[in-house]
Amino acid sequence: MVQKGDKMQARNGNRVNVHYKGTLRDGTEFDNSYTRGQTFSFEVGSGNVVPGFSNAVVGMAAGEKKSVTISPLDAYGPRIEEAEQVVPKGAFNENMELEVGTMVQGNGPRGAFLAKVKELTDETVTLDLNHPLAGEELSFEIELVSIDSQE
């Protein structure tokens, strides 16, 4: 493992450990590894994180910090207005408290899904199936903590 202070730079294929803070355009924090007290580990270029985040780490050295802003196309993609579905309230557990803005998990014809309750009527629930960060420009403060050597 290459530790802080070494000059190795992250490249595709490296497993890296980072700390980060993610915010929206209005400054709202949506994620923070510092708060969790644990670094986030991923393989650069593997497709396991949004492309803009992975690309931002390329060329960083252990101990380096960087601020980046990522467009929706390099993050979770644009919002798709057609990604809404109206379902009968009876499809939900009667003990489930449904409120506009809350996230719900379920299983549908295409498998498991996560959705935001967009609208409620006495008989139906309108679900927004977009990723919660779709259409958002994301800003990250990234600290590259270490690079695991592949050699």
Side-chain angles (χ1 to χ4, degrees):
M1 181 185 275
V2 179
Q3 294 295 328
K4 284 185 180 184
D6 291 343
K7 302 214 188 259
M8 181 177 176
Q9 292 182 326
R11 62 181 190 268
N12 286 338
N14 288 136
R15 177 151 292 282
V16 297
N17 297 290
V18 298
H19 264 305
Y20 66 91
K21 179 173 109 173
T23 55
L24 302 177
R25 186 178 298 154
D26 68 3
T28 302
E29 185 175 292
F30 64 86
D31 200 2
N32 188 328
S33 67
Y34 294 100
T35 302
R36 287 191 303 277
Q38 186 173 349
T39 59
F40 174 66
S41 177
F42 72 97
E43 183 181 326
V44 180
S46 67
N48 292 331
V49 298
V50 296
F53 190 92
S54 185
N55 293 341
V57 173
V58 172
M60 289 180 71
E64 186 177 343
K65 293 181 180 183
K66 177 192 269 189
S67 293
V68 297
T69 299
I70 301 170
S71 76
L73 293 177
D74 287 328
Y76 292 96
R79 284 194 47 73
I80 301 168
E81 296 307 319
E82 298 80 28
E84 292 182 3
Q85 185 174 359
V86 179
V87 295
K89 253 190 184 169
F92 294 88
N93 182 320
E94 63 185 48
N95 298 326
M96 182 178 245
E97 290 192 34
L98 296 169
E99 292 181 26
V100 172
T102 59
M103 300 300 291
V104 295
Q105 291 181 321
N107 287 305
R110 295 185 195 138
F113 67 87
L114 180 66
K116 187 180 209 174
V117 175
K118 183 175 180 183
E119 189 177 313
L120 289 169
T121 69
D122 289 340
E123 297 171 8
T124 63
V125 179
T126 302
L127 299 175
D128 180 350
L129 298 165
N130 282 289
H131 185 282
L133 295 174
E136 297 284 353
E137 184 176 89
L138 307 179
S139 293
F140 288 97
E141 294 173 22
I142 303 170
E143 176 186 3
L144 182 57
V145 176
S146 64
I147 303 169
D148 295 340
S149 179
Q150 300 293 314
E151 297 152 30

